[in-house]
Structures are given as C-alpha cells and as structure tokens.
Amino acid sequence: MLPKSTVSLLLFLTTLTARGGIDLTPSVNEYVAQGIKVQQLTFKEDKRRIEYEPPSGWKFDGGPNQLHLVPPQKNFAEAVVAVAQLNKPQSLDESTIKLLEQQFVANLPTGSQFVKIEQEISNPVLLDGNASFEITVSYQSTGEKFLRSALFVNLRDTQLVFRLTARKDDFQSLHREFRASIFSWHWIDEGETPAQAGQAASLTTAH
C-alpha cells in the first residue's frame, strides 16, 4: 500500500491533469540562430503548448510542477520555475503582495540570518499581458552572503514563480541572464501555424 503522502501527491497531480494545468516536464528542441545552437523547451497546458528558451549553457531538469535550472561554474546558484494552482483568480494587489513577501521570507533556508528585502518591483515582465511582481532578498547562510529573487505571475487559475538564488558576487549577472530568458516564455495554440508562432514569440520578446 502506498503511503498517504504519496497517495495525496498522486491525487493532486491527477487533479492538475484533469484541469488542464501547466505541466513543466520539458520536451527539448534545438535550432541554430546566427550560428549559435539554441535549446528550446516545450511544456504542455491543455490544448496549448508553452515554449521557453533557458539561458545558454544552463543545465535543466523538470517534472509536472517544477523546472530546475543550474548555471555553469557557479557554486550554490540555481533557478526554479514553479507552478501552483489558484482556487480563484487573484490580482497582485497590496494584500496579496504582502502575503507573498511573508511566504517568500519564511521559505528561506533554515537558519538564515540578516534577512533584508533589497528590492520590490511591480510588472518587470508582462508575461502574455499578465501582471507580475518581483521581490529580491539578501541573507546570510552557512557563512556566505546570498541573494534570492522571485518573480510572481498570476494567471487566471495558475501562479507561476521564477526564482533565482546565488551568492552575492554572482547574483547580478545571473539575474540578468535569467530575467532575459523569461521574455522568451510564450503560449501557442495547437492550431497555430509556425509563422504565427514565430510572430507571437517576437512580439513577446519585444516587451
């Protein structure tokens, strides 16, 4: 007999599938642009698909609810794209942002010290026209100084979170790479032609 926790997880994943939620298990395509090999990840969402180009050279693996990204030659650095279902549409108003702040700080590594909110930005990225909110926090853990950012995007019934953690000296350059990659994230209807898909991707990247 499966443990209750496993059964609960399976039921949760079944519900996600039944509701047509975003599945972050990646399919990988490659193409060459201006002589550079580009990896493009594709995810499923009901009758649509999502295309995303991670930063060049970053390793990745993913499952239904989370995509994990690791930059090369940077110890203690990682990025995560996570998806969670919302019970109802949720605007990023003042009360919601306050709750996100509290949850974000509470989920820092156990034993984190000198926690400080460094920056908060509204709508740094308009993902498919949806509002976003980004928070960046500094903290100290195991004798190292770290920065962690999270970009929250609330869709109709889903919350997407793009999170980056890195040592203080590595954070700014990695954050630029990771932020730039988010602009490649776009949805494509199954009936959309390749030409239409390319045009939509160009418009999304141009924001």
Side-chain angles (χ1 to χ4, degrees), residues 40 48-53 123-130 151 153 155 160 162 179-189 192 195-207:
Q40 184 182 72
R48 301 194 298 174
R49 69 182 187 274
I50 298 167
E51 293 182 345
Y52 168 64
E53 295 174 8
N123 299 319
V125 176
L126 292 176
L127 201 65
D128 200 38
N130 293 282
L151 176 74
V153 182
L155 310 177
L160 278 170
F162 298 84
R179 168 80 69 80
S181 78
I182 297 173
F183 285 102
S184 73
W185 184 286
H186 62 281
W187 282 262
I188 297 175
D189 291 331
E192 199 169 336
Q196 290 171 325
Q199 184 180 25
S202 298
L203 291 172
T204 304
T205 306
H207 280 304

Side-chain angles (χ1 to χ4, degrees), residues 136-149:
T136 302
V137 169
S138 62
Y139 63 96
Q140 184 169 309
S141 178
T142 62
E144 294 269 9
K145 292 182 179 179
F146 289 88
L147 287 170
R148 175 175 288 184
S149 66

Side-chain angles (χ1 to χ4, degrees), residues 158-205:
T158 306
Q159 182 180 79
L160 278 170
V161 184
F162 298 84
R163 191 186 76 205
L164 173 69
T165 305
R167 290 189 296 193
K168 184 178 180 181
D169 292 343
D170 298 327
F171 181 82
Q172 292 301 330
S173 61
L174 295 178
H175 184 260
R176 281 195 297 271
E177 286 187 69
F178 187 47
R179 168 80 69 80
S181 78
I182 297 173
F183 285 102
S184 73
W185 184 286
H186 62 281
W187 282 262
I188 297 175
D189 291 331
E190 288 299 331
E192 199 169 336
T193 66
Q196 290 171 325
Q199 184 180 25
S202 298
L203 291 172
T204 304
T205 306

